[in-house]
């Protein structure tokens, strides 16, 4: 006998959980499609060289990599952005702007721990081929709509712009080339705190007193950073052309929110947001859930230079990603997941093996009326069949013996109320359908 | 620059194809759920020992296997049946009968060739925990309903029973233990022909003249095998208890078809059907498309001993699998796929950058009326924006300049007809919605 086991950090999704995931994916998809995004899929395996060197040193180490039978080095997909960039370079005939969504698993050979898995789903939307900040704004509007639709309210979308961060760093005397490393350190604030970040910065850069004060005021102070507005950010980058451009983009994004009616309580311009990946070039955004505290549940930004790695022509691009696993976790903790639901409405019990043909016929009629109906296969004791329905969470049970058949009636049992009524098949169908609408 | 490439035998699915796949998966899912099947998912990676030794010698060689970072041997999922068996053994608390569906990719390191891929989707339904042949019958009824629903008509579901084949072989003097190898040879008929199979059989068994005649009459003769009925099969296994049992099961299946109204032209009892996998123990079935000839598009059967490999208690089980790739190929060849469709109904063009806020507002109203609407981001020439809509296949375009805005009207262009009308926003929405219903 083989002991049944799955690799650490991997999960089975049994029907209850899977129904919840399907519900969320359905809601997310509906919003994506309402904005003109189309589905796309890429292979789970890519050549290793396609993925390597794109996710930073730590990311590279987490790539699941192996040799295929032909001796080529292949790797499991690490995210959905690099495969998309590869696709855009492969098919230059794709109409631009190209708006696609992809909802698919990715793999990272991370240390498994609570809430962190080696196989998890990402839901990504990206807009390829436009430099317009309205595209970035649309991604944030969608973020807001998706989260509201699946039942979130306690969330805050943080927004910043890499151009502003760059302008700030250069203005403060950080060498152009060292800017990414400067912000990688700052991005660690949530993990290693103010002193940890300052230590890293002082090791690598000359940190002036004035810079330290600004970091304390705008980045390390949770108090202050909540109050940062665009006008305050403007002061930090005054006189830097890249700063002006970055500000104009954020203003466009703000305009799009107000035109679309996104309430101000759901977003903030936050100069402390840096985001880890090197490839961002413009607006960046991430969503934090204010309660329960679980880290970010969405994140993204503009990456105008990434596709250029695979293509002679650089192509502007922006995108964002929803972390399905964290969203499910939060919904579960908030008790609004309803994770044990079944989509089956009726169980047709079997009184006697000879009545199976009758059961199949009434089940057929009920299915043709768009009800999900299960037929029980064995003429076991009714009690056993009822307890099967109860365990599955099926809300209605049909009981039909020879008496009912000769009278042309059916008994319908409401499992939640414990009540029974004798009905015609037509009335039974409307009773169940009306109860579904409740 | 990295040359954009994907591994051989793997595919990107761009939006047109992906919309077709989504449509098929949606239709399949709807039928599955109408019979009480629930979604389930398992990891793409399993421990290699979970998969190895289950698919025969050739199957084992095709498993994508590698060492994970901890030195454990892991493998990409080869099918959905073995992971299901592992799940059933892992969670004995699952209510039985356990009916689940899973629609997911599997991987085989096969030689890539036309219509054969290394990554492809399977759509599986299985019923765990019942020996009733009505369960097998239900799988075939679903096969019929799914294929009709997605537009197939020229198909034939072949049905046989391993118990009948075993009874026949034993009656003909084949040693019990050699029965599987006997039928593996017979299963090669489609590939190596009558003479190839006879040669293999004569090398391994004593093939009597009487057996050879029966093989010619019931297995090698395409003419005859189409006419085989249960009464004829009965003669082949007369006097064998396993044969009687197998016949009774097929009769039950036939009864369920007639109760459910499955027309006789869509199925046949076919004694020549063996199916390759060793693990089948009872009824087996597969669907062939009669035109175009493409091999089987569904296949399955009862496997009462498989779960016992992972569990102290044997658990009866039956299941079937729909080959999504072949189904898509046939739909494409039949021209009923409509593979270039978009789900986006309207493109809102941008006359002038200053009008973006107006565009966002009307797009919002249209989306709230359940229309999929894309907003164009740059105020490029109208001609360019119209050609974008045409390339995407978006059927309606909204044009709104300062004049229209001051008059409270909008111009709607029907891209297929090339006509335009000036409407209020409300009338525009109903015009588009009504056209969707056409």
């Amino acid at each position: 006998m083989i002991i049944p086991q799955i690799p650490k950090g991997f999960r089975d999704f049994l029907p209850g959980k899977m129904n919840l995931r399907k519900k969320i994916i359905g809601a997310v998809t509906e919003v994506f499609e309402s904005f003109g995004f189309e589905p796309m899929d890429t292979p789970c395996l890519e050549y290793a060289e396609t993925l390597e060197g794109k996710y930073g040193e730590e990311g590279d180490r987490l790539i699941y990599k192996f040799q295929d039978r032909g001796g080529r080095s292949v790797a499991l997909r690490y995210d959905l952005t690099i495969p998309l960039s590869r696709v855009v370079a492969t098919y230059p005939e794709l109409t631009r702007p190209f708006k696609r969504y992809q909802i698919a698993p990715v793999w990272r050979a991370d240390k498994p721990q609570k809430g962190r898995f080696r196989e998890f789903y990402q839901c990504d939307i990206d807009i390829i081929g436009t430099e317009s900040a309205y595209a970035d704004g649309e991604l944030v509007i969608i973020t807001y709509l998706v989260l509201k639709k699946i039942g979130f309210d306690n969330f805050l979308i943080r927004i910043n712009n890499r151009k502003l961060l760059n302008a700030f760093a250069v203005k403060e005397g950080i060498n152009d080339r060292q800017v990414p490393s400067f912000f990688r350190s700052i991005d660690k604030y949530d993990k290693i705190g103010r002193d940890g970040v300052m230590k890293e910065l002082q090791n690598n850069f000359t940190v002036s007193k004035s810079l330290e004060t600004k970091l304390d005021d705008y980045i390390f102070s949770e108090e202050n950073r909540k109050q940062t507005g665009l006008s305050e950010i403007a002061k930090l980058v005054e006189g830097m052309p890249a700063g002006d451009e970055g500000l104009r983009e954020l203003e466009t994004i703000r305009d799009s929110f107000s035109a679309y009616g996104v309430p101000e309580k759901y977003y903030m311009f936050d100069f402390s947001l840096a985001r880890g990946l090197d490839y961002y070039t413009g607006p960046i955004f991430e969503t934090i859930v204010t309660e329960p505290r679980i880290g970010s549940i969405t994140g993204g930004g503009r990456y105008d230079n990434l596709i250029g790695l695979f293509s002679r022509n650089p192509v502007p691009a922006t995108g964002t990603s929803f972390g399905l696993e964290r969203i499910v976790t939060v919904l579960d903790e908030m008790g609004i997941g309803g994770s044990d639901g079944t989509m089956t409405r009726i169980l047709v019990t079997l009184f006697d093996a000879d009545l199976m043909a009758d059961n199949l016929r009434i089940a057929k009629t009920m299915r043709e009326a768009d009800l999900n109906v299960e037929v029980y296969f064995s003429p076991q004791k009714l009690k056993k069949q009822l307890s099967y329905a109860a365990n599955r969470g099926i809300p209605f049970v049909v009981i039909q013996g020879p008496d009912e058949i000769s009278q042309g009636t059916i008994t319908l049992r409401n499992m939640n109320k414990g009540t029974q009524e004798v009905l015609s098949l037509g009335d039974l169908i409307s009773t169940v359908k009306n109860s579904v609408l409740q």
Side-chain angles (χ1 to χ4, degrees), chain A:
Chain A
M1 196 188 101
I2 305 152
I3 294 161
Q5 277 183 311
I6 45 173
K8 277 205 194 75
F10 289 77
R11 293 165 295 166
D12 291 316
F13 296 108
L14 302 183
K17 284 269 174 249
M18 195 62 186
N19 275 324
L20 173 61
R21 294 170 76 85
K22 264 195 70 177
K23 218 169 74 184
I24 296 170
I25 289 173
V28 168
T29 303
E30 222 173 86
V31 178
F32 292 171
E33 291 181 354
S34 78
F35 278 76
F37 288 81
E38 308 264 0
M40 198 188 84
D41 206 6
T42 61
C44 294
L45 275 189
E46 296 272 357
Y47 283 130
E49 68 201 45
T50 301
L51 309 189
E52 284 171 326
K54 315 295 188 301
Y55 304 108
E57 222 173 273
E58 203 197 327
D60 268 5
R61 269 190 298 107
L62 302 182
I63 295 173
Y64 271 97
K65 209 172 74 170
F66 62 99
Q67 305 275 317
D68 74 5
R69 207 159 300 261
R72 287 287 299 251
S73 186
V74 292
L76 287 170
R77 181 166 64 199
Y78 178 92
D79 75 353
L80 305 178
T81 309
I82 296 295
L84 170 65
S85 302
R86 195 230 347 110
V87 162
V88 171
T90 309
Y91 311 91
E93 68 274 19
L94 282 171
T95 310
R96 288 184 200 157
F98 177 59
K99 296 169 75 171
R100 82 87 181 81
Y101 70 87
Q102 183 170 8
I103 299 174
V106 300
W107 294 269
R108 297 182 188 176
D110 219 336
K111 212 172 161 166
Q113 56 194 69
K114 192 173 178 296
R116 187 169 291 189
F117 307 103
R118 289 181 164 172
E119 177 181 64
F120 57 95
Y121 268 69
Q122 289 190 333
C123 311
D124 276 27
I125 38 174
D126 293 81
I127 304 176
I128 310 295
T130 177
E131 285 171 349
S132 170
Y134 280 110
D136 305 283
E138 183 169 283
L139 299 176
V140 182
I141 291 170
I142 291 174
T143 303
Y144 159 74
L145 291 173
V146 162
L147 293 176
K148 288 298 279 183
K149 184 168 185 148
I150 58 185
F152 280 89
D153 192 50
N154 273 331
F155 64 88
L156 186 63
I157 306 171
R158 300 167 64 201
I159 303 165
N160 198 5
N161 194 327
R162 276 285 173 90
K163 286 175 187 161
L164 294 171
L165 291 173
N166 289 347
F168 169 74
V170 172
K171 189 176 154 115
E172 294 297 328
I174 305 295
N175 181 313
D176 230 5
R177 285 194 172 179
Q178 291 189 298
V179 169
S181 131
F182 180 73
F183 284 106
R184 260 200 306 276
S185 296
I186 286 186
D187 197 51
K188 291 184 189 161
Y189 173 71
D190 284 339
K191 281 182 197 155
I192 61 178
R194 181 209 184 271
D195 294 346
V197 174
M198 280 311 294
K199 207 170 153 193
E200 260 197 45
L201 291 179
Q202 274 149 353
N203 283 343
N204 298 312
F205 307 95
T206 320
V207 181
S208 68
K209 193 69 206 160
S210 133
L211 175 56
E212 192 172 342
T213 308
K214 284 173 187 158
L215 292 176
D216 275 331
D217 285 354
Y218 294 99
I219 293 181
F220 301 144
S221 155
E222 299 227 9
E223 279 295 302
N224 280 349
R225 76 190 204 193
K226 291 225 171 84
Q227 293 155 26
T228 319
L230 286 187
S231 54
E232 254 178 295
I233 294 177
K235 279 182 236 151
L236 294 174
V237 296
E238 215 169 6
M240 307 294 290
D244 288 345
E245 205 179 312
L247 276 169
R248 272 201 310 277
E249 290 168 355
L250 294 191
E251 281 159 10
T252 297
I253 291 174
R254 193 182 51 190
D255 290 348
S256 72
F257 295 167
S258 89
Y260 212 87
V262 179
E264 281 187 24
K265 63 178 270 214
Y266 295 109
Y267 67 90
M268 67 179 281
F269 294 101
D270 181 347
F271 195 65
S272 76
L273 177 69
R275 294 198 53 75
L277 288 166
D278 288 356
Y279 58 57
Y280 289 120
T281 55
I284 47 178
F285 14 85
E286 80 176 33
T287 307
I288 49 171
V289 174
T290 40
E291 187 59 41
R293 280 199 159 269
I294 194 174
S296 62
I297 54 171
T298 85
R302 180 165 282 280
Y303 50 96
D304 285 346
N305 300 330
L306 189 57
I307 296 169
L309 296 178
F310 298 98
S311 165
R312 246 166 269 278
N313 308 311
V315 183
T318 182
T320 199
S321 182
F322 294 75
L324 183 64
E325 315 305 332
R326 283 188 177 174
I327 288 174
V328 171
T329 306
V330 177
L331 287 177
D332 258 356
E333 283 190 26
M334 288 162 70
I336 54 176
S339 66
D340 291 306
T342 171
M343 277 167 304
T344 306
R345 310 309 303 166
I346 305 176
L347 177 74
V348 179
T349 56
L350 183 58
F351 184 84
D352 183 288
D354 289 344
L355 300 181
M356 193 63 176
D358 293 284
N359 280 0
L360 290 175
R361 271 187 288 268
I362 63 166
K364 184 186 180 190
T365 307
M366 294 189 287
R367 286 182 194 127
E368 284 167 358
D370 283 331
L371 289 168
N372 293 342
V373 180
E374 179 166 338
V375 163
Y376 205 81
F377 295 117
S378 329
Q380 287 166 321
K381 288 209 173 100
L382 184 61
K383 203 178 150 190
K384 182 151 188 197
Q385 299 188 50
L386 289 178
S387 103
Y388 170 76
N391 287 336
R392 282 280 309 283
I394 300 174
F396 292 98
V397 164
V398 157
I399 303 164
Q400 199 189 215
D403 291 355
E404 277 96 347
I405 289 177
S406 68
Q407 289 158 26
T409 59
I410 305 176
T411 299
L412 178 70
R413 185 183 177 90
N414 183 318
M415 294 295 288
N416 299 321
K417 296 185 187 161
T419 54
Q420 290 193 182
E421 12 177 16
V422 179
L423 299 165
S424 69
L425 180 53
D427 288 344
L428 186 153
I429 289 173
S430 24
T431 302
V432 175
K433 289 197 87 154
N434 289 337
S435 94
V436 172
L437 297 174
Q438 268 169 11

